[in-house]
Amino acid sequence: MRDQEPLPGPAGQRLSTKEAAELLGVKPETVYAYVSRGQLTSRRVPGGRGSTFDAKEVAALARRNSREGGGSSSSGGELSVRTSLTLIDTDRYYFRGVDATELAARHSYEEVAEWLWTGRMRPGVTFTASEAAVAVARRAVDALPEHAAPTDRLRVAAIAASTADPLRFDLSEEAVLGTARVLIPTMVAALPPIVHDPGDGGPLAHRLWTRLSGRHADEAGLRALDTALALLVDHDLAASTLAVRVAASARAHAYAAVSAGLGVIEGPLHGAASGLAHRLLLDVLDQGSAAPVIADELRAGRSIPGLGHRLYPGEDPRARALFALLEQIPKAESALAAAQDIVATTARHAPLHANIDLALAVLTASSGMPATAGETIFAVARTAGWIAHALEEYGERPLRMRPSGHYVGPRPPQPLPE
């Protein structure tokens, strides 16, 4: 088969960025994005500013991309899912055809979620949890060990809340939307509050803030958090969203589909990436300069979190929008400067733009939130998108998300093992 043919490049040969990009069929910026995600390793040219790449490693990635449809040219086997929710195009993204950053700038998280679900705007809408769902979710979450991560708590809260809903198997649009409007605030309410809990009233961002920071929530900080939630509502078929659609394809109810998404975002290459960026940012603030911190990361062979995105050759529009808000908050000034230092320092090695993970790190670090806060924000925000994708999938043929395996093991018949 073609995808098993070796590509040019003898073992040990080093390729320039341009040569690696040509072999992969991508732009040079995308090569550095592969580095930032840990899919390629680079080595600095002695005495120069460029980087080189192992030819064998590049060839293996090219073969992988060819099989998975991950390169710039699609293969016939690429998984394609029809959706009317999110379009990502030329460093911009759209929810139902409307610029997502403009929606987030002008509307609350709840309003953007309603737009994604229904294509209708409901000004002033807020989500309210039911007392029964919150009670059972809190009991389940309170039983977890103290060191349980926020995503552990959210996943347990979602499943516990489902047990309080005898109609959870009703997959009609009206029923699923009713579930969504209760489930999201229930998940937030189940997280232990750090300061006084304002209850179920007001925007969701206000309630979430009390679970993430012990500081007083001023208007600018709340607006930044609410905007971050709205920006992160959906992002096409990310890994967690695909997991949700697979669950929905098997007609799992909405709580179970959301639980599938929560299980996937714990990976360091997905929802947990903001926590890595948060810790990097604190190290830079502690050292007073990004140079020694970046040097240690590169020396250890680690990629730099918070930089580059495979879907955006240029700037991540979500990061751009959130940074613009953070620039208006005096308390965020030092964290913003540290983020800019990270980007500028890393540019000498890999010219990558900041992504949403670095912007979330600035928000969480400057607001007195823990490193896990970015992942919590991501999970709560994306739950709305998962619900939208589950609704779409419920309208498709059941069990269609069932790829065929390409068996590469020993050919039968084999003797019985002794």
Side-chain angles (χ1 to χ4, degrees), residues 58-232:
V58 173
L61 178 59
R63 284 194 295 270
R64 221 162 39 239
N65 283 350
S66 176
R67 288 194 299 269
E68 299 169 1
S72 60
S73 59
S74 299
S75 67
E78 181 179 3
L79 177 63
S80 179
V81 178
R82 186 176 55 188
T83 178
S84 61
L85 299 174
T86 301
L87 170 67
I88 299 174
D89 182 47
T90 318
D91 294 339
R92 298 178 72 179
Y93 72 124
Y94 306 84
F95 293 155
R96 293 189 179 273
V98 179
D99 188 292
T101 59
E102 293 182 11
L103 276 172
R106 292 169 172 78
H107 296 279
S108 70
Y109 165 68
E110 291 96 319
E111 291 170 346
V112 174
E114 288 284 348
W115 171 256
L116 194 68
W117 292 338
T118 68
R120 298 185 298 272
M121 187 57 67
R122 296 180 61 197
V125 63
T126 57
F127 298 157
T128 303
S130 72
E131 292 183 7
V134 171
V136 70
R138 281 180 174 167
R139 283 198 300 272
V141 168
D142 289 345
L144 295 175
E146 286 188 17
H147 63 265
T151 46
D152 295 326
R153 300 177 190 275
L154 292 171
R155 193 162 60 249
V156 167
I159 292 302
S162 74
T163 66
D165 183 1
L167 303 179
R168 61 187 178 275
F169 292 101
D170 183 350
L171 303 186
S172 66
E173 180 177 347
E174 183 179 1
V176 173
L177 288 178
T179 294
R181 294 175 184 127
V182 172
L183 174 58
I184 295 173
T186 297
M187 289 165 59
V188 172
L191 295 173
I194 298 175
V195 296
H196 174 66
D197 182 0
D200 286 339
L204 191 84
H206 295 210
R207 286 169 268 165
L208 182 58
W209 182 283
T210 64
R211 269 85 181 164
L212 299 177
S213 177
R215 294 184 185 175
H216 172 70
D218 57 27
E219 185 177 346
L222 287 172
R223 185 186 174 207
L225 176 56
D226 189 48
T227 301
L229 289 167
L231 290 167
L232 288 165

Side-chain angles (χ1 to χ4, degrees), residues 33-52:
Y34 286 134
V35 174
S36 73
R37 298 196 303 273
Q39 293 174 278
L40 280 180
T41 53
S42 63
R43 185 186 301 167
R44 291 291 298 275
V45 176
R49 296 183 60 185
S51 299
T52 63

Side-chain angles (χ1 to χ4, degrees), residues 322-378:
L322 188 52
F323 278 136
L325 276 182
L326 292 168
E327 288 169 0
Q328 303 172 26
I329 302 177
K331 291 180 181 178
E333 184 176 354
S334 58
L336 273 170
Q340 291 163 356
D341 194 10
I342 290 171
V343 174
T345 301
T346 310
R348 305 171 199 166
H349 166 74
L352 296 171
H353 296 278
N355 63 30
I356 186 61
D357 296 316
L358 189 58
L360 274 179
V362 172
L363 170 62
T364 55
S366 62
S367 302
M369 298 176 183
T372 55
E375 187 176 358
T376 306
I377 294 167
F378 183 100

Side-chain angles (χ1 to χ4, degrees), residues 1-35:
M1 295 177 62
R2 284 182 62 95
D3 64 9
Q4 294 176 333
E5 294 174 0
L7 290 165
Q13 178 183 334
R14 307 295 299 180
L15 302 177
S16 68
T17 302
K18 181 181 178 182
E19 290 170 333
E22 290 175 350
L23 189 58
L24 291 165
V26 298
K27 296 179 180 179
E29 293 86 352
T30 305
V31 175
Y32 290 112
Y34 286 134
V35 174

